[in-house]
Amino acid sequence: ELPQPELLQQADPMIVQAMMYSKCVAVYLLQQDSTTRGWLNTNIKGPVYMVQRRGPPHFQLLVKNLCGTNDLLDNFHPAWQLDYQKNYVFYKVEDPSKLIR
């Protein structure tokens, strides 16, 4: 069942509704430019939502962290690069300074 908007508005007051969700995900970031290459655990774990907002950007990806207070909130953008494997989704946001998720 999708949550009430009030719960999600803690992360972003402009959220109108959750459009879809998955009950549990874990967020990792791909470190590529140091001697420690590989996937880094962010300790962000919890439900993921595709949310609609009142203003631009109109859609976001939100992971509500059940392990701490730092949620992951990314704005959907047509320049995203997406890939997937069984049980995994990888995406690179439009900002080249941000790590692949």
Side-chain angles (χ1 to χ4, degrees), residues 10-99:
Q10 295 168 3
D12 180 351
M14 297 285 287
I15 291 175
V16 176
Q17 68 175 335
M19 300 175 66
M20 59 180 70
Y21 80 105
S22 180
K23 290 182 182 181
C24 188
V25 300
V27 177
Y28 290 82
L29 301 176
L30 182 58
Q31 183 71 41
Q32 299 183 68
D33 59 354
S34 72
T35 57
T36 309
R37 293 177 181 249
W39 290 100
L40 305 173
N41 186 348
T42 64
N43 290 319
I44 299 174
K45 296 179 175 82
V48 61
Y49 303 95
M50 178 182 169
V51 298
Q52 181 180 11
R53 301 178 74 247
R54 276 191 280 281
H58 292 287
F59 300 98
Q60 291 177 320
L61 180 79
L62 169 63
V63 179
K64 287 293 287 176
N65 191 5
L66 300 178
C67 299
T69 58
N70 57 327
D71 297 333
L72 176 74
L73 188 62
D74 283 326
N75 303 325
F76 281 105
H77 192 277
W80 275 22
Q81 296 176 24
L82 295 168
D83 194 9
Y84 67 93
Q85 294 176 8
K86 184 177 180 182
N87 298 323
Y88 298 96
V89 175
F90 311 97
Y91 65 96
K92 182 177 181 180
V93 296
E94 74 282 0
D95 183 347
S97 70
K98 293 188 177 180
L99 298 176

